[in-house]
Amino acid sequence: MDTEKILYIDFEGNTSGHLYLVGYSFDGNFHQVVLDKDLKGLADHHGFKAMSLEEFADDISKIIKSESITAIAGYTSHDIEILRKHKPFKDCMKHLAVAELDVHKVARSFIRKNHLKKFRDMVKSLPTNYHRKRYSLINVMLLIEGKVPQDYGIGKTTSRLNAARDSLILREQDYSRLTTTQKGKATKALKHNKYDVNSLEKILRFSQI
């Protein structure tokens, strides 16, 4: 892993496939891009790029080339599959032989071999909403660090982004006109995404001890 240059990525979307934003990092630098035009006010406020998924696929392909990325990692293959639908990304991955890392599979295999009893005991002690997916990112991070952010909001990110989106539509994308509660929901959704992206590297390092 130390010889690889990995780009970590995580999309935020709903169960219908609508995408709100994406977070990614490489070389310790974290970035967020808004993919939903109705969240433009959020992008403007934070100084994020706002673009279509097609534009982002093209942009990330250029980054992979210019930064000599050797692997791209998502918590599951889903994040990479979203991009693979777009020819510039698909061609980039093929021509540069960029490796794909399914962090969920790596973590699950490592935990089953080395920490299964400890992990199972931990999961059994958790509130019900934690272990709907036993090897969820948040469960694995709890095993690694012994704690998780209090405002992580399992299952709340979509509703938080929808609330921010609806409010920005109503207020013509003027973020300053949002209420404190509405701004808070948007901020928590962004923090959730950043935590997920930053956790990917931590989980890979843990799984290669």
Side-chain angles (χ1 to χ4, degrees):
M1 178 175 168
D2 290 332
T3 60
E4 293 181 302
K5 190 169 185 180
I6 303 174
L7 185 145
Y8 303 93
I9 192 165
D10 181 67
F11 285 92
E12 299 298 342
N14 62 21
T15 55
S16 299
H18 177 79
L19 298 175
Y20 301 98
L21 57 90
V22 59
Y24 68 94
S25 71
F26 60 92
D27 283 347
N29 298 307
F30 176 74
H31 309 269
Q32 283 175 315
V33 175
V34 167
L35 302 173
D36 184 335
K37 63 181 178 59
D38 290 321
L39 287 171
K40 184 179 181 300
L42 181 66
D44 291 343
H45 175 76
H46 288 283
F48 298 156
K49 289 182 179 179
M51 59 181 72
S52 68
L53 178 59
E54 291 77 11
E55 290 169 330
F56 176 72
D58 185 55
D59 196 50
I60 208 71
S61 300
K62 292 175 182 176
I63 290 172
I64 289 172
K65 293 175 184 176
S66 64
E67 297 293 334
S68 301
I69 300 297
T70 59
I72 182 167
Y75 195 62
T76 68
S77 61
H78 174 71
D79 295 283
I80 299 173
E81 289 303 321
I82 289 173
L83 290 169
R84 198 191 304 282
K85 298 174 184 176
H86 303 278
K87 191 174 186 300
F89 179 82
K90 186 177 181 180
D91 290 347
C92 175
M93 293 290 283
K94 181 180 179 180
H95 294 156
L96 297 181
V98 178
E100 300 174 24
L101 299 174
D102 185 322
V103 178
H104 172 265
K105 286 184 178 179
V106 173
R108 183 179 60 189
S109 177
F110 181 79
I111 291 170
R112 284 178 172 176
K113 290 178 182 178
N114 300 278
H115 303 283
L116 186 57
K117 185 179 186 306
K118 180 181 179 181
F119 186 71
R120 282 180 172 174
D121 290 344
M122 183 199 79
V123 170
K124 287 178 182 178
S125 70
L126 295 174
T128 304
N129 65 323
Y130 268 72
H131 56 83
R132 283 178 296 177
K133 294 182 180 179
R134 177 175 288 176
Y135 290 93
S136 64
L137 180 146
I138 199 68
N139 283 356
V140 174
M141 284 301 293
L142 184 59
L143 175 71
I144 295 171
E145 298 192 331
K147 61 180 180 179
V148 295
Q150 290 186 342
D151 60 355
Y152 182 79
I154 297 171
K156 294 181 179 179
T157 304
T158 297
S159 62
R160 286 170 173 173
L161 287 168
N162 280 334
R165 185 176 185 268
D166 292 344
S167 301
L168 284 166
I169 291 172
L170 186 63
R171 290 163 178 78
E172 300 178 322
Q173 299 303 313
D174 186 348
Y175 185 88
S176 67
R177 294 171 59 195
L178 268 59
T179 66
T180 300
T181 298
Q182 291 163 346
K183 290 177 181 177
K185 288 182 178 181
T187 298
K188 287 176 181 177
L190 294 176
K191 285 176 64 180
H192 176 108
N193 176 253
K194 184 175 183 179
Y195 179 83
D196 282 357
V197 173
N198 289 340
S199 294
L200 296 175
E201 181 175 5
K202 293 179 180 179
I203 293 172
L204 279 183
R205 290 194 177 278
F206 168 77
S207 300
Q208 295 183 15
I209 292 174

